[in-house]
Amino acid sequence: MTIVDKASESSDPSAYQNQPGSSEAVSPGDMDAGSASWGAVSSLNDVSNHTLSLGPVPGAVVYSSSSVPDKSKPSPQKDQALGDGIAPPQKVLFPSEKICLKWQQTHRVGAGLQNLGNTCFANAALQCLTYTPPLANYMLSHEHSKTCHAEGFCMMCTMQAHITQALSNPGDVIKPMFVINEMRRIARHFRFGNQEDAHEFLQYTVDAMQKACLNGSNK
């Protein structure tokens, strides 16, 4: 802010009257609520109705008379830009209004999964998917298998068989053979008996499920 000598201002007050970029230095004794020098400063309510811009003097602030645009009124350009500009998908895998984040039926804790020899990575990922309510609800409805036209391997049908078996045998221990038998189809580098990464297996499994849903669609 520009510092103005009060002594010179008192001798010629008109010299600084029309300079918007100047401000008056106030001594500590004048900083009380009743000081006349503070009366020249606009109140906070007045400041909120004006925009702030840099004045001609470095560090100075000028209050312009233009009012702040009313943000409550939406602009036509903003309304037109609400869309993300992405074309609608050729195929909707699952309508969002049908997704239920909670269990649609009450189930007891399903079966445990037997380790068939370094298959704990697959068991961990399968248990996570089995107890994901939206996915389990869809699999238990058998909605996919009713409309599936895949020839040969289908990861969605494989997961449907596994989740149905796991939740239909509470308290038991089952062998996840529906998935283990298709290990090479889920990812070519997976080998039965080899220790693999659980997160990697989960990614490949979800990708295979998506490819099964997109079967017959354009790339």
Side-chain angles (χ1 to χ4, degrees):
M1 302 294 288
T2 305
I3 306 301
V4 180
D5 187 9
K6 293 186 64 175
S8 61
E9 180 184 5
S10 60
S11 60
D12 189 7
S14 61
Y16 300 94
Q17 185 175 1
N18 297 326
Q19 294 187 8
S22 62
S23 63
E24 182 177 343
V26 183
S27 62
D30 296 335
M31 294 179 63
D32 57 280
S35 175
S37 61
W38 285 94
V41 181
S42 301
S43 63
L44 293 178
N45 293 333
D46 295 336
V47 173
S48 61
N49 296 328
H50 298 77
T51 57
L52 300 179
S53 60
L54 291 178
V57 180
V61 177
V62 176
Y63 294 95
S64 64
S65 58
S66 59
S67 59
V68 179
D70 187 7
K71 296 183 180 180
S72 61
K73 298 180 181 179
S75 60
Q77 296 181 354
K78 185 177 181 181
D79 291 341
Q80 295 176 0
L82 289 178
D84 52 15
I86 300 177
Q90 297 179 1
K91 181 179 180 181
V92 178
L93 298 184
F94 197 78
S96 58
E97 62 272 8
K98 294 180 63 176
I99 296 178
C100 182
L101 299 180
K102 299 181 180 180
W103 291 95
Q104 293 179 334
Q105 300 177 5
T106 302
H107 301 275
R108 295 177 58 189
V109 178
L113 304 182
Q114 182 177 345
N115 191 333
L116 304 177
N118 288 335
T119 59
C120 54
F121 70 95
N123 292 351
L126 291 175
Q127 292 290 57
C128 290
L129 292 173
T130 300
Y131 293 96
T132 301
L135 178 62
N137 291 333
Y138 178 71
M139 292 302 184
L140 293 176
S141 69
H142 291 195
E143 184 174 341
H144 172 77
S145 59
K146 295 176 183 178
T147 58
C148 180
H149 302 289
E151 297 179 0
F153 170 69
C154 174
M155 192 64 214
M156 289 293 291
C157 293
T158 301
M159 283 301 303
Q160 176 181 296
H162 172 76
I163 291 178
T164 301
Q165 181 189 24
L167 295 180
S168 299
N169 295 275
D172 294 339
V173 178
I174 63 174
K175 298 179 180 180
M177 299 306 302
F178 291 110
V179 178
I180 298 301
N181 289 337
E182 306 293 350
M183 191 74 69
R184 293 286 301 273
R185 296 177 181 268
I186 297 175
R188 294 180 180 179
H189 63 281
F190 285 161
R191 298 289 188 275
F192 176 73
N194 291 350
Q195 180 63 51
E196 305 290 350
D197 182 73
H199 182 256
E200 183 183 14
F201 175 79
L202 177 63
Q203 286 183 310
Y204 276 102
T205 300
V206 173
D207 287 344
M209 292 168 63
Q210 178 174 289
K211 292 178 180 178
C213 293
L214 293 174
N215 185 28
S217 302
N218 295 331
K219 292 185 179 180

